[in-house]
């Protein structure tokens, strides 16, 4: 397995004071699906967009196949654009409203100097793959349904045959009876096109189902990262544990002992010193208030905590 | 009705339709519901189920394109449907309160929390002095977990986080000691750890004040954890209702079964495909005859298309609107 | 395009506006063919004539045919408004988009310029310039367009700001679209829609400004048959004949009413969010 993306000490500060991402490192292996979970202010979307080069790191770096994104020359940047794409949360607003579906789907080809006519087979194949009728080609985004818009957004992201696809809250606002359709489609496309996914979501059920590994974020830092199975079944970080316990369960047998976290999520403008989580942590001690814990690897996962939970 | 405990809220055969450009949309059809004092009743359903319309119908806060509203709804014996507009206004806030998904848009941004909370009381207790009303407001904010309530009551809505705003909304709703609190997706806009706090708060308030809560949500998990009774809605009708434990352990309606199967398929970590309910929610301007779920049901039979199934008993207090529901002792097989 | 027209035709006031606009535009285009006389041909013997077969709307103080003069006046009214609005449109669009993308300090400079310009009413500014430099058609066009730039510029900036962080522009950036492509293919068309509506609503305003200036004698110099000049002459000789004032006023009313109704119908028709068709 080759390493596709390497994120090293990533720090992104907005307006000189909003520390959206504060020292995050992780790898993304080709073919895997990595999930980023966290609540408001965790920086998960900012990290995802930094991976696409949409934000310039204040510190640290993002490398794609060994090439640092911030230092890409024009030609390399165009190459990178064909490697990494995004599926947006709100499908409608990610489609330029005055272009037809046809133009929207051929535009990526035109941007990269490919002949839309000669390459139209790509679009036909993708439309078939995402189950879109060719009848829609001459419609405008506001004339199609929400589900169709989502599929157009996905097809568009895949026209250039990227290797990395970032999915930003792909199931947000979807009813549970139909969200499976979208997730099944993403899984199918992953097989068909050999994609690597970075899946951003606050929905723990979705993350648990579709990711191979997961990073749990809190206030711009990774609290815990590891294989999804391990993080979900044996969380070591108290925040991960609390997050999982807060996820409502239908089956009484599966409900974890409730640890309702007290207090608010602090503002990323003024993150607490020491461990970011100490203001709400039931296990916090004086050391946590001053000394930020390092991310350390133990078994299949890494966690940043001075007083981790025992292995069950 | 005679041997049942006296219910606080009774809804019988409530139907509501709206005028739309596509014709009459029958968004609620024959909805019935009973709520005992001190209960938390969950109304669960997906987009277009009519669950939010039910909430606004109970308060008679209907949009201008309301076409028809028939049936019965009574709060503690007071018929809500025939009440004069003035008396309905007096009842809103005083006996029925409501909290919304987005607490920011429900709190007037130009007033301080103190002003907002004093105004709410003025209608209910006209004789109270400013100092009394202020003291009650602070006590209530304290009760819903606003730290430094005495100080923070001077602040304005935008100075609070989403979770705190929802607590303030709850405090305002409870100031008048209502019998019924309607909570329409109160945690949907909140982070999951904050959601857990609000859910605990609602539970504690019910235990301490005895307020009944109609909890409207799309989240099966949340409803399962919080509610005593559950009403499952689909496309404007109640398809199943019953005690939460029984309903989630032995769902009787194919829709509830399918919904739970969708939910449960996200649990297993295998590569198995996620379960979906094929098809779409029917267009409520063209309601098909027969069972509303027939078009998407895995167990559909010819009679389902001909006739609307009535709610049948599926266990003690547990009812489902499906022809497959038989004797209470033998619940139908769960969906595969 | 045809769909937009059909939608305008579909609304009652829009239909009236469209008919009036077409009449006015045809009048301007076909003036040389329709006009029964040379608009500047003097026939002193036949002055202050009422409507006759020969002079359908009568004649003025020099015996010139009012109908012909009004027809040619349409060309001035439309010419001035379309040209000045076009200039203001393009300048406002570019400045507005630039303001939205420039660093805050330069953005402020543009906004301050907009504020300075809009603090002068067009008419007053025009009076001042004409008093200094003398009257002239091009000066009028220039003054009107300059005073309209902030109008378009502010809307263009607001629209661009609203679009700037929209996911679809982000999607384009991820696809590798260049800044020029972002502006030309995605921002300009989306910003132009509301500006076109603004422009159509500005036409009656500019027609009135041009007529007003000419009425005051500082607009298009005589003998050009501006509606304002005709109206002024009509008032001067109201004792001798009411026809000049009546018909000049009627022409102005028809044109401004037509363009106003048309503009409003256009606004309703082009807003894609109001469309309900499948």
């Amino acid at each position: 397995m080759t390493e596709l993306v390497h994120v090293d000490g990533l720090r992104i500060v907005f307006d000189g004071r909003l520390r959206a991402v504060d020292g995050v490192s992780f790898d993304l292996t080709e073919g895997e699906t990595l999930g980023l979970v966290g609540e408001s202010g965790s920086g998960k979307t900012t990290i995802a967009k930094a991976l696409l080069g949409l934000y310039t790191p204040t510190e640290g770096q993002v490398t794609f196949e060994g090439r640092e994104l911030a230092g890409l020359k024009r030609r390399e940047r165009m190459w990178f654009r064909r490697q990494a794409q995004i599926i947006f949360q709100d499908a409608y607003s990610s489609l330029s409203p005055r272009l037809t579906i046809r133009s929207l789907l051929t535009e990526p080809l035109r941007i990269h100097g490919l002949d839309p006519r000669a390459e139209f087979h790509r679009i036909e194949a993708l439309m078939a793959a995402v189950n879109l009728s060719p009848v829609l080609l001459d419609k405008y985004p506001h004339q199609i349904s929400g589900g169709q818009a989502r599929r157009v957004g996905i097809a568009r992201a895949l026209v250039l045959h990227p290797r990395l696809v970032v999915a930003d809250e792909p199931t947000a606002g979807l009813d549970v009876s139909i969200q499976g359709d979208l997730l099944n489609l993403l899984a199918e496309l992953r097989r068909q096109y050999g994609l690597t996914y970075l899946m951003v979501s606050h929905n723990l059920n979705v993350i648990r189902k579709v990711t191979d590994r997961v990073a749990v974020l809190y206030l711009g830092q990774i609290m815990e990262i590891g294989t999804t199975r391990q993080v979900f079944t044996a969380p070591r970080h108290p925040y991960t544990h609390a997050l999982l316990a807060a996820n409502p369960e239908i089956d009484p047998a599966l409900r974890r002992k409730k640890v309702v976290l007290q207090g608010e999520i602090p503002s990323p403008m003024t993150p607490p010193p020491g461990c970011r989580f100490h203001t709400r942590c039931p296990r916090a001690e004086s050391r946590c208030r001053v000394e930020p814990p390092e991310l350390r690897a133990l078994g299949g996962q890494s966690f940043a905590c001075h007083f981790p939970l025992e292995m069950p | 009705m005679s041997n049942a405990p006296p219910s606080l809220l009774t809804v019988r055969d409530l139907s509501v339709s709206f005028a739309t450009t596509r014709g009459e949309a029958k968004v609620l059809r024959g909805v019935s519901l009973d709520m005992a004092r001190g209960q938390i009743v969950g109304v669960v359903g997906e987009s277009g189920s009519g669950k939010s319309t039910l909430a606004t119908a109970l308060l008679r806060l209907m949009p201008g394109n309301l076409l028809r509203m028939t049936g019965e709804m009574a709060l503690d014996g007071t018929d809500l449907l025939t009440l004069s507009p003035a008396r309905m206004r007096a009842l809103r806030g005083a006996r029925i309160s409501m909290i919304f998904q987005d607490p920011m848009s429900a709190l007037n941004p130009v007033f301080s929390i103190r002003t907002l909370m004093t105004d709410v009381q003025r209608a209910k207790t006209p004789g109270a002095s400013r100092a009394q009303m202020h003291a009650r407001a602070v006590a209530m904010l304290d009760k819903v977990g606003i730290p430094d309530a005495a100080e923070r009551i001077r602040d304005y809505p935008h100075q609070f986080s989403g979770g705190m705003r929802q607590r303030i909304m709850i405090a305002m709703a409870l100031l008048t000691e209502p019998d019924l609190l309607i909570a329409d997706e109160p945690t949907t806009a909140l982070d999951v750890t904050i959601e857990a706090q609000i859910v605990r708060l609602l539970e504690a308030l019910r235990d301490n004040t005895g307020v009944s809560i109609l909890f409207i949500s799309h989240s099966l998990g949340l409803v399962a954890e919080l509610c005593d009774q559950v009403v499952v809605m689909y496309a404007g009708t109640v398809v199943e209702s019953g005690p939460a434990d029984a309903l989630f352990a032995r769902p009787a309606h194919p829709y509830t079964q399918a919904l739970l199967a969708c939910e449960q398929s996200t649990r297993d970590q295998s590569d198995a495909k996620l379960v979906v309910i094929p098809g779409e929610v029917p267009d409520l301007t063209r309601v098909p005859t027969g069972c509303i779920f027939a078009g998407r049901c895995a167990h559909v039979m010819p009679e389902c298309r001909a006739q609307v199934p009535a709610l049948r008993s599926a266990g003690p207090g547990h009812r489902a609107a499906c022809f497959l529901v038989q004797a209470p002792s033998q619940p139908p097989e769960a969906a595969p | 395009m045809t769909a937009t027209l059909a939608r305008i035709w579909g609304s009652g006031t829009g239909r009236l506006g469209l008919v009036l606009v077409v009449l006015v535009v045809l009048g301007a285009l076909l003036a040389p063919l329709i006009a029964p006389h040379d608009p500047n041909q003097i026939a002193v013997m036949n002055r202050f004539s009422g409507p006759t077969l020969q002079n359908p709307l009568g004649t003025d103080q020099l015996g010139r045919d009012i109908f012909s003069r009004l027809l040619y006046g349409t060309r001035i009214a439309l010419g001035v408004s379309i040209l000045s609005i076009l200039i203001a449109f393009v300048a406002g669009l570019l400045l507005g988009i630039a303001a939205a993308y420039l660093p805050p300090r330069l953005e402020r400079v543009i906004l301050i310029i907009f504020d300075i310009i809009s603090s002068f009413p067009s008419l007053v500014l025009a009076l001042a310039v004409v008093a200094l430099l003398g009257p002239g058609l091009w000066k009028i066009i220039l003054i009107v367009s300059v005073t309209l730039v902030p109008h378009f510029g502010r809307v263009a900036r607001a629209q661009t700001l609203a679009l700037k962080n929209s996911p679809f522009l982000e999607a384009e950036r991820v696809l590798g679209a260049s800044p020029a492509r972002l502006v030309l293919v995605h921002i300009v068309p989306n910003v132009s829609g509301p500006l076109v509506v603004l422009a159509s609503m500005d036409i009656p305003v500019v027609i009135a400004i041009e007529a007003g200036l000419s009425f005051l004698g500082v607009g298009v110099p005589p003998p050009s048959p501006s509606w304002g000049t005709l109206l002024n002459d009509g008032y001067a000789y109201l004792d001798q004949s009411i026809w000049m004032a009546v018909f000049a006023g009627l022409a102005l009313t028809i044109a401004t009413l037509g363009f106003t109704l048309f503009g409003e119908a256009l606004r309703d028709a082009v807003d894609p969010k109001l469309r309900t068709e499948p």
Side-chain angles (χ1 to χ4, degrees), chain C residues 216-267:
Chain C
L216 295 173
V218 293
V220 188
S224 295
S226 161
W227 289 348
T229 315
L230 265 68
L231 201 59
N232 189 17
D233 290 350
Y235 274 107
Y237 298 100
L238 206 56
D239 294 344
Q240 280 89 346
S241 163
I242 61 161
W243 300 115
M244 290 185 339
V246 167
F247 288 125
L250 205 60
L252 256 174
T253 310
I254 288 176
T256 49
L257 180 71
F259 277 106
T260 304
L261 294 179
F262 175 76
E264 282 171 0
L266 182 67
R267 177 195 57 203

Side-chain angles (χ1 to χ4, degrees), chain A residues 49 81 93 96 107 112 156, chain C residues 168 170 172 174-175 186:
Chain A
K49 290 188 175 170
R81 289 289 171 231
S93 60
S96 197
E107 213 199 351
H112 289 270
R156 194 159 189 253
Chain C
F168 79 84
E170 209 160 54
E172 299 303 325
V174 174
L175 287 170
H186 300 285

